Structure formats: C-alpha cells, structure tokens
Amino acid sequence: MNPDTKQGYARHHDDRSTAELMGDLSTQLSRLVREEMQSATAELRSKGRRLGAGAGLFGAAGVLALYGGGVLIATLIMLLALVLTPWIAALVVGVVLLAAAGLCAAIGRGQTRRATPPVPEQTMASVRDDLQTIKEGTHR
C-alpha cells in the first residue's frame, strides 16, 4: 500500500461517525453470534451422537442380562438330566453372559460420561475469547 492510500484509509476511518462505527460493530457482532451458534449446534450434535451410542450400549447390556437370566434358568432345567453336575454348567454359561453385559454397561457408561454435560464447551470457550478480544479492543 502506498503512503497516500494509507493516509486516505486512516482519514476515512477518522472521519467516520460514531453511528457508522456502531453500525459496523452491530453487523460484525451479529455475524459473530451467528457463527458461534452454528459452532454450538455442531458440538451439541456430536455430543448427542455419543449419548445415543452410550444409551444403545446400555440397552444391549440390559438385553444380554435378560438373556443371561433366561439361559441360567433354561440351562439349569436342561442340565438336570446330564451326568455332570447340572448347576455348575448353568452357572458357567450365566456368568459368561452376565460378564458380557457388565462389559457393555461399563463401555456405555464411559460413552455417556464423555457426552455429558450436554454443553457446547468449545463454543463457550470461543465466545469467552471473543468477548475478551472485544473488551481489549474497546479499552484501546
């Protein structure tokens, strides 16, 4: 930029009225708020997907636990006729299924914890940074 252009640019900004500057501020602030809202929406969608995955795993844990209980009962009845001690075989099958249910519950709990609280933390941090920048700009 040549010096004449710089002076013209500075003069142009020096000659601007407070109303014009406030209008620019309003436009820029509106755009900033709109962009932050889009960022918050994207972050909440991501957390919602994690929450859904965690809830699905909790559901799988419940189904496996239900099947585990059913298998324990059915196995106990069926194995009564075998030579081996029937309750030991039924206990082994049931314990394995319940252990799988426990694993699903633990994984689901971890997914749910990562998704909560359902607050767009990154966007809020960005808004705080924006506010700090605006404050610093107004103190100059």
Side-chain angles (χ1 to χ4, degrees), residues 71-131:
V71 167
L72 281 172
I73 293 169
T75 304
L76 180 62
I77 293 169
M78 290 170 46
L79 291 178
L80 286 174
L82 298 176
V83 177
L84 297 174
T85 310
W87 66 271
I88 292 175
L91 183 63
V92 169
V93 171
V95 166
V96 168
L97 286 171
L98 291 174
L103 179 63
C104 287
I107 293 170
R109 180 178 179 211
Q111 289 289 325
T112 303
R113 280 189 174 175
R114 275 189 261 163
T116 55
V119 175
E121 295 163 352
Q122 293 171 350
T123 302
M124 289 180 67
S126 177
V127 167
R128 278 188 226 108
D129 291 344
D130 294 340
L131 289 174

Side-chain angles (χ1 to χ4, degrees), residues 15-99:
D15 293 342
R16 296 177 70 200
S17 69
T18 302
E20 289 172 323
L21 292 172
M22 292 304 289
D24 287 349
L25 176 63
S26 175
T27 301
Q28 291 173 0
L29 195 56
S30 295
R31 184 180 42 200
L32 178 64
V33 167
R34 196 171 28 255
E35 289 171 357
E36 294 296 356
M37 291 299 293
Q38 290 170 347
S39 178
T41 301
E43 190 175 345
L44 286 174
R45 275 192 196 119
S46 173
K47 287 189 179 233
R49 282 192 281 276
R50 279 202 181 120
L51 188 60
L57 286 169
F58 271 127
V63 169
L64 288 173
L66 182 63
Y67 284 148
V71 167
L72 281 172
I73 293 169
T75 304
L76 180 62
I77 293 169
M78 290 170 46
L79 291 178
L80 286 174
L82 298 176
V83 177
L84 297 174
T85 310
W87 66 271
I88 292 175
L91 183 63
V92 169
V93 171
V95 166
V96 168
L97 286 171
L98 291 174

